[in-house]
Amino acid sequence: MGRQPDSATTTATFADRLADRVVARESQIVLGLDPDPARLWPVTLGTEAPGATPGQRAGAAVRAHCAALIDAAGPACVAVKPQLACFERLGADGWSALRATVGYARERGLLVLADAKRGDIAVSAAAYAQALVGATATPFGDVEGLGADAFTANPLLGIDALQPLVDGARAAGAGVFVLVRTSNPGAADVEDLRLADVEGGGTVWERLAQIVAQLGGQPSAHSGLADVCAVVGATAPEHVARMRELMPYAPFLLPGIGAQGGRVEDIAPAFAPGRAAALVSASRSIAAAHEATGAPPANAARAEAERLRAAAWSL
Amino acid sequence: MGRQPDSATTTATFADRLADRVVARESQIVLGLDPDPARLWPVTLGTEAPGATPGQRAGAAVRAHCAALIDAAGPACVAVKPQLACFERLGADGWSALRATVGYARERGLLVLADAKRGDIAVSAAAYAQALVGATATPFGDVEGLGADAFTANPLLGIDALQPLVDGARAAGAGVFVLVRTSNPGAADVEDLRLADVEGGGTVWERLAQIVAQLGGQPSAHSGLADVCAVVGATAPEHVARMRELMPYAPFLLPGIGAQGGRVEDIAPAFAPGRAAALVSASRSIAAAHEATGAPPANAARAEAERLRAAAWSL
């Protein structure tokens, strides 16, 4: 399905590949790639053809920015997480830059988590899986998708809408990170609502956690982890222990460290099942580290990523 | 923001443009565009350059298919609803086909509702609004987004994640259709959950409906409608009256007619505030009408779209 053979291991599931990669790189840090064309690093441009459109030039600049960020901070990380919105706003040129960035990260040994937050009814969900981790049959031959190792998904539409995403991911040896409780204040508006009819109480996010556990099933013997994962905001560390109870085998992706106020030290329970059971995501706090320190962008990004890596690895 | 001047009216909000367009075209039908490259109409191909890749050829074929479908069924419709997953699975080539399809539909007087179901934290939500209805500032000049008239959004992340989508849409004179209760069976898993702490009971989808009403605010004097709209599956007609009570001014988009089992006749309460207060969406039942009748695809699609148009208009 367009995935390069994983030369480092012979394991097949995303969870097992993740676990091996975390050990090999001694990192649980996910480098967020949220390129804003108006705030790119002053990297070398000039890669675009003469007479290129603004979109083509911006796409080339975004691609160069992401490559420079990967070169700088990637060695301290296990994965990158491109935010699809930031690429889609450049249209087809942005999608080309995204695809190139995915390839660049994979060449450097990083896993790629496409931050897409997709969710739709079954037939459309299957198409999203084709787009992100699969391929599409056409009369002219198969068209490969993005080739990500995993992607984020929105569970509002329920199990029958998630299942095609999980099935498509499994067929490609990829993973799905389902939103359970997000890192923004608005999580209180819907995700935190308390449910009736639940013995002992319970919230919408606890129900979402149960769905994640149900879809994930039993963990692999190799890693002890399942291939249906959860996005769990690091800005609500008081919930992490309960989330781990409800989803004992799910790898967690913890955004919200840094710019959104979360601290690595507060989410230790997430790592209980093992080092690969929790990934710490940081975007602006790495890419914009130079704005606080005054150091060159690459140096500041490398230092901040390494600081986060060491803090998480020591938990 | 990349939107063509709307020559038919001088009104500014999406709701007012929608209301005027519904009257002018005597239609509340939304033509779903869900192209599957393996099941396209046998339309003229050969538009691709020699030596084109499978992706380029499939993109050209998808574009031709959508144009043929718009030519056939568009005259009975007020809008088209491209499903972004179906285009994204062809990567940059798919995005180019999507953009061309948006332009083609608008040239023929149809509104474009981008079925994206996007939702993300604030800074990413703002980027999605740029991608779908706005533009992006770059050092090389502004890059125009897709130029849609409206898009669908997922409200799981709460109000602070929806607000940038609404703000971006308003700045462009566009609309947002927020998922409230979807047309799939899995809607029961999360959207239908009953809430505690709500006087007189209430479900997750009723809370979502309240959020839609809150974000939409007061209706315009011209149309009596607000510019924050709701996606309300036609497969649960028993809820439509309650939805209208909770969202008195929101235009409804009702998917699930036809292939998913919903019937136009069952959703009459949705139209209570006026003809433009409810849009009926149909995709496969129009595009694949020929599979049931044996007629040429264009003829069958035109007949089915006209049948739906007349049924809805008579309510």
Side-chain angles (χ1 to χ4, degrees):
Chain A
M1 306 289 279
R3 172 136 312 93
Q4 300 165 10
D6 194 319
S7 58
T9 77
T10 57
T11 54
T13 74
F14 169 73
D16 289 352
R17 289 194 296 128
L18 171 65
D20 291 349
R21 204 72 68 98
V22 163
V23 169
R25 298 181 71 93
E26 294 192 359
S27 176
Q28 302 123 320
I29 305 301
V30 177
L31 173 62
L33 302 173
D34 301 5
D36 178 348
R39 288 181 67 193
L40 301 179
W41 286 3
V43 289
T44 307
L45 303 180
T47 54
E48 67 271 21
T53 66
Q56 289 167 334
R57 297 180 71 189
V62 160
R63 178 177 173 173
H65 168 88
C66 290
L69 187 51
I70 289 168
D71 287 343
C77 301
V78 69
V80 296
K81 181 174 73 68
Q83 166 54 254
L84 266 57
C86 293
F87 296 86
E88 282 182 21
R89 61 182 160 185
L90 299 179
D93 297 314
W95 201 273
S96 294
L98 172 62
R99 178 143 194 171
T101 300
V102 169
Y104 192 83
R106 289 180 58 86
E107 284 169 17
R108 271 141 196 83
L110 293 157
L111 297 171
V112 176
L113 317 184
D115 198 356
K117 298 190 175 66
R118 299 299 196 256
D120 213 311
I121 61 168
V123 65
S124 302
Y128 277 126
Q130 290 175 293
L132 298 171
V133 297
T136 301
T138 84
F140 318 104
D142 283 2
V143 176
E144 297 296 334
L146 195 58
D149 295 283
F151 56 88
T152 57
N154 184 309
L156 179 66
L157 281 70
I159 294 169
D160 69 357
L162 288 170
Q163 192 70 58
L165 296 176
V166 172
D167 292 346
R170 282 190 177 139
V176 180
F177 285 83
V178 179
L179 301 182
V180 168
R181 193 191 181 281
T182 51
S183 55
N184 58 315
D189 298 329
V190 182
E191 299 163 17
D192 286 355
L193 292 175
R194 290 187 53 243
L195 297 176
D197 313 323
V198 177
E199 208 168 323
T203 59
V204 169
W205 69 254
E206 287 176 286
R207 173 67 184 131
L208 299 177
Q210 291 167 341
I211 290 173
V212 167
Q214 175 184 336
L215 287 170
Q218 291 303 305
S220 83
H222 175 69
S223 64
L225 298 172
D227 54 1
V228 179
C229 320
V231 178
V232 174
T235 51
E238 68 274 19
H239 296 318
V240 171
R242 173 65 175 153
M243 287 169 176
R244 186 46 82 199
E245 181 183 10
L246 290 168
M247 301 177 282
Y249 312 126
F252 288 178
L253 176 66
L254 295 140
I257 297 289
Q260 292 182 58
R263 299 192 319 147
V264 168
E265 299 75 11
D266 291 337
I267 43 85
F271 294 96
R275 287 192 188 276
L279 304 176
V280 173
S281 170
S283 302
R284 282 168 288 166
S285 63
I286 294 176
H290 59 287
E291 295 177 5
T293 67
N299 297 18
R302 181 177 295 116
E304 173 63 9
E306 175 55 29
R307 189 191 70 77
L308 287 170
R309 189 204 68 77
W313 196 253
S314 70
L315 290 177
Chain B
M1 303 290 275
R3 169 134 317 90
Q4 299 164 12
D6 195 319
S7 58
T9 77
T10 56
T11 54
T13 75
F14 170 72
D16 289 353
R17 289 194 296 129
L18 172 65
D20 290 350
R21 204 72 68 98
V22 163
V23 169
R25 297 182 71 93
E26 294 192 0
S27 176
Q28 301 123 320
I29 305 301
V30 177
L31 173 63
L33 302 174
D34 301 4
D36 178 349
R39 289 182 64 195
L40 300 179
W41 287 3
V43 289
T44 306
L45 303 181
T47 54
E48 66 271 22
T53 65
Q56 290 167 332
R57 298 181 71 188
V62 159
R63 179 178 171 171
H65 168 89
C66 290
L69 187 51
I70 289 168
D71 287 342
C77 301
V78 68
V80 297
K81 181 174 73 68
Q83 166 53 253
L84 265 57
C86 293
F87 296 86
E88 282 182 21
R89 61 182 160 186
L90 299 179
D93 298 313
W95 200 273
S96 294
L98 172 62
R99 178 144 194 171
T101 300
V102 169
Y104 192 82
R106 288 179 58 87
E107 284 170 16
R108 272 142 196 82
L110 293 157
L111 297 170
V112 176
L113 318 183
D115 198 357
K117 297 188 175 68
R118 299 300 195 256
D120 213 310
I121 61 167
V123 64
S124 303
Y128 277 127
Q130 290 176 295
L132 298 171
V133 298
T136 301
T138 85
F140 318 105
D142 283 3
V143 175
E144 298 294 334
L146 195 56
D149 296 282
F151 57 86
T152 58
N154 184 310
L156 179 66
L157 280 70
I159 293 170
D160 69 357
L162 288 169
Q163 192 69 58
L165 297 176
V166 172
D167 292 346
R170 281 190 179 139
V176 180
F177 285 83
V178 178
L179 301 183
V180 169
R181 193 193 181 280
T182 52
S183 56
N184 59 315
D189 297 330
V190 182
E191 298 163 18
D192 287 354
L193 293 174
R194 289 186 55 243
L195 298 176
D197 313 321
V198 178
E199 207 168 321
T203 60
V204 169
W205 69 255
E206 287 175 288
R207 173 68 185 129
L208 299 177
Q210 291 168 342
I211 289 173
V212 166
Q214 176 184 334
L215 287 169
Q218 290 304 303
S220 83
H222 176 69
S223 64
L225 298 172
D227 55 0
V228 180
C229 320
V231 179
V232 173
T235 52
E238 69 274 19
H239 296 318
V240 171
R242 173 67 175 151
M243 287 168 176
R244 187 45 83 198
E245 181 183 9
L246 290 168
M247 301 176 281
Y249 312 125
F252 287 179
L253 176 67
L254 295 140
I257 296 289
Q260 292 183 56
R263 301 191 318 147
V264 169
E265 298 75 10
D266 292 337
I267 42 86
F271 294 96
R275 288 191 188 275
L279 304 176
V280 173
S281 169
S283 302
R284 282 169 288 166
S285 62
I286 294 176
H290 59 287
E291 295 177 4
T293 68
N299 297 17
R302 183 177 293 117
E304 173 62 10
E306 175 54 29
R307 188 190 70 76
L308 287 170
R309 189 203 67 78
W313 197 253
S314 70
L315 289 177

